[in-house]
Structure formats: C-alpha cells, structure tokens
Amino acid sequence: MAQDSPTFSPLYRQIKSLIMQGLETGEWRPGEAIPSESELAERFSVSQGTVRKAVDEMAAENLLIRRQGKGTFVASHNDPRAFFRFLRLIPISGGVEPSHSMPLECWRAKAGPEAARVLQINIGEPIIVVRRLLQFSGKTVVVDEIYLPGEVFAGLTLDILKDYQGSLYSLFETRFGVRMIRAEERIRAVAADRVSAELLNVEEGAPLLSVERVSYTYGEKPVEWRRGLYSTAEHCYLNELS
Amino acid sequence: MAQDSPTFSPLYRQIKSLIMQGLETGEWRPGEAIPSESELAERFSVSQGTVRKAVDEMAAENLLIRRQGKGTFVASHNDPRAFFRFLRLIPISGGVEPSHSMPLECWRAKAGPEAARVLQINIGEPIIVVRRLLQFSGKTVVVDEIYLPGEVFAGLTLDILKDYQGSLYSLFETRFGVRMIRAEERIRAVAADRVSAELLNVEEGAPLLSVERVSYTYGEKPVEWRRGLYSTAEHCYLNELS
DNA sequence: GAGTGGTCTAGACCACTGC
DNA sequence: CAGTGGTCTAGACCACTCG
C-alpha cells in the first residue's frame, strides 16, 4: 500500500523546528542556555523524551551543546573548542601551533555572475571582499579571499577585522548575528601565482591547495564564499572519513 | 565530589560492545540482518529501548543500517550506496560519472620503517603493494599506490584485482573478510613526477592533489595505507564540514 | 540539596515491508 | 496479516554541577 500520510513528520521533528525557530529569531543566543528539557516539554506539551530526541539531533548537528548537570547551550563560534571545526589544516610534524589571522584589505564591490550564483543574490548587488593571511607560528600558510553579501555584513571594515581578537566566524556571530552552521569545501591543486607565491614564501608555480568554501547559515542560506590558497610544505589538510 | 565510578559505562554501551563482538567474530556478516531489537533485548536481558540506543549509535557510525519494516543490517561495501563513502572526488562540471578501477601491478615487499609505523607491523614483515588507476569516463584521474599487510591479504594477486567487479573495499570484504570502517586522509599539493604525469595525461610538474589515506578496521586496526595522486583539472575533492 | 542532563524500563501505538 | 523498525509516553533512578 502507498504511504498513508506523505507529509508525515514525527512529533520530535516538529519540536526540533520550534527550537530551531528560537535559534533563528535570536530568542536564545549563541553561548546561552536554552530552557531545560522539562521546561520545553511543558511548553510544547509533549513528554520529556520527545524533547530529548529533538535536542539529540540538534546536538549531533552541532547546533546545541549538552553539558550534563549544567544545561543545554546554543553552540557558539566563540567557544574555543569550535575553533578547528572548519579549519582542517594541521602541521605535518604533529603538535598544535598557535594560529593568527592577519587581514590585509577589505573593500566594497558589486557581485559578478559567479559570486551572485554562489551567494544566491542578484548580479550587481553589493558585496564585501576581504583578503587576509593565516599564519601558524609566524609563518604564512594560507592566503584567503573572502566574499560576503554586503547587505548582511554592512559596516564591516578593515579596522574591525584587525581589532577583533578571535576567529572570523566568532566576529561574524557576535558583531553581525550571522552563525555559520555548515560548509562545503572543494579542493584542487593549483600552481602559485606571483602574488600568492610571495605572500606564502614559495616559488612561483609551486603547487598549492586551492580550497573553495561556501558557508551556510540557518535555512541553508549561503553567506560566505571563500577561496584559500594553502601552502602544504609543512602543513596538510586532514579529513576524517567515516 | 569526585566521580563515584571512574569506569562507569552505561548499559547501552555494553550492549553495543556485545553487538560489535558479533560483527568482529563474523556471527553476522556484512549484508546480513542482525536479530530484531526485541530478540536482542531478550538475549541480553535488557529492555528494547536500551538495545535501540546501542543500535542507534552503531547506525550513526555506519556500522549498521536500519530499514524500517525489514530489519537492521550489517553495513557492507557491496552496497552500491556505500561506494562514494570514501571517495570524495566529483567532476567539477557536476553530474555523476561512471568510474572504473584499473589495476596495474601487484607485488610483494617487506615493510620499510614508514609502512611499518603506519600499518603498525614490524619492519621487514611482508606487505603487498598495488598500483592502480582510477578512471572517470575513460580518463585517468587518480593514480594510487596501496600498501597492505601481507598477513591479512595473503593470496592477493593482480589477476584477482583485475577480475573483480566492484570497489576495492568490496573485494577486501568479500574475499578477505576485512571491513574498512574509518579512514583518515591527509591532503597536500605536489608537483607531478614524470611517471604520474604521463599516466594522468598532464605536464610534468603540474600541480596534483596528494591524498594519503590510512584505513582502519574493527578495533582501530590500520589495514591499508594508500597514497593517491589526483588530477584536479576536471575534478575536485569535495568535503562537507559540519 | 536542588536542578540539570543521562540512563533504563514497560507498554502502547504508528509506519513500513513482504507474504 | 505478522513482523520489523519508529515514535511517544510516564515514571524511576543515576551522574554531574554548583551554590
């Protein structure tokens, strides 16, 4: 027999949607605790187990963080544990190195066809372009070019970037209320152009990793397009497959 | 107060271990169904919900596959849906291309220091080395060199590799009873050497993706060390971050 | 000790598959 | 229709954090 209710959605998913709404509307902000499971159960008139299943899924998606005895918290890029969530670069020699972001430029532009397509905006709409370096132990390992929709990040300047201590996504979150949830990276090998070669201190034409990233916020909305060139002389991109 | 029982392990994890044992010992083989939740609950003298939680975790780890109305099955690399689980290469133009593995050589050797370290065997122990190409739409995109512990894959020959229809991991699973569960890939950009350049039909010195993979079977045991050179002229390595 | 998340149970019912 | 996984409930108790 055919499926009885083609749009069947279990209760816990509806609860999940309601909690998602609370995140999107800012009812509960990154870093804050959401109400306890029993409170949510009462508010939504379901059993605690059903709330639990909704929260379980969201915790698995890195949207919420559970801490036994304390509560359930909205995930935040300010949390130092989240720092390497999107940066898969590690030193070949092993160990952990201090990293540092060094913004170079920040200017306004109009979206070309490609940026418009990726960011799902119209051609000609304002965008912001950022160029920056990423350094490990003082050595430049990544040169990034970052394209942001101007509407969302209105007011972003080089000074803001330079002054901010912490990761870029932490800045986006606290200053612009934009929380990156998910990203896709497309990786290729390319030859270093003259400018990048100089910045990365490698020969012109040396092989580099080209990492193109599109980041999404709530509702699968793309809000960042980034292209990075990684020098893999002393670092490598680590990926866990499972 | 300090934690009362430092080795506390919830019941569902113990059940999970028991089910894991069933997988490792081959009580239930890849592709087969494991007993129903109620059967397992009775066998282990726990409630169905506890079995459920154990199975949930294993399904999340791609060890088991649940199919409503049918049962719970041991994950298998023979399942066509598992084919792209470890291969993150896609055509830039989008779409799906037929891929084909072409083994070139297969010989015996003794483990050098590096292979021994990675595969956690002793230096000088027998290993098997395989060289092969991966082609998409008839074009060679990857050249792989694969190092396998000789003890585990005893009897592997070039003819076996050539005759087998299906993925390499599918062969390992059905013929040698070795199931790959997890892998780590370390990615760098390198310049094409003469031999690889010829095979991949690119210029010598052209930038290539170097993908080093270590694959693990049950018990975190490494059973494959692989180094691939990927031509990213028309393909790219796709990674989802979340 | 009060409050939180984490575990475990027992039972009812729903959705899907295949005979 | 019987058997499977999937959902939902209500309640008990455990482990952890903090004041």
Side-chain angles (χ1 to χ4, degrees), chain B residues 21 40 53 96-97 101 109 121-122 129 132 154 179 181 183 187-188 190 201 210 215-216 226 234:
Chain B
Q21 276 182 33
L40 290 173
K53 183 141 190 178
V96 181
E97 291 180 323
S101 169
I121 59 179
N122 293 318
V129 188
R132 67 136 189 202
R179 203 180 120 56
I181 289 179
I187 307 172
R188 304 174 59 194
V190 300
N201 201 31
S210 161
S215 303
Y216 300 84
R226 176 191 289 212
E234 295 175 11

Side-chain angles (χ1 to χ4, degrees), chain A residues 120-197:
Chain A
Q120 292 177 23
I121 59 179
N122 294 317
I123 294 176
E125 279 193 56
I127 61 172
I128 300 172
V129 189
V130 175
R131 270 167 52 82
R132 67 135 190 201
L133 307 179
L134 214 60
Q135 304 182 313
F136 284 81
S137 308
K139 285 183 191 165
T140 302
V141 180
V142 178
V143 40
D144 270 328
E145 199 147 10
I146 305 171
Y147 300 81
L148 306 165
E151 209 153 321
V152 177
F153 292 95
L156 181 64
T157 64
L158 186 57
D159 283 336
I160 292 176
L161 289 165
K162 279 185 171 166
D163 287 349
Y164 192 82
Q165 304 299 319
S167 76
L168 208 50
Y169 287 174
S170 173
L171 168 66
F172 292 169
E173 177 180 302
T174 47
R175 178 99 187 205
F176 300 94
V178 178
R179 202 180 121 57
M180 305 300 190
I181 288 178
R182 194 181 76 76
E184 285 175 358
E185 292 194 328
R186 285 178 169 75
I187 307 173
R188 303 175 60 196
V190 299
D193 60 291
R194 212 175 56 74
V195 175
S196 305

Side-chain angles (χ1 to χ4, degrees), chain B residues 10-12 47 50 53 68 70:
Chain B
L11 192 47
Y12 75 86
S47 82
T50 300
K53 183 141 190 178
Q68 180 169 149
K70 300 182 71 173

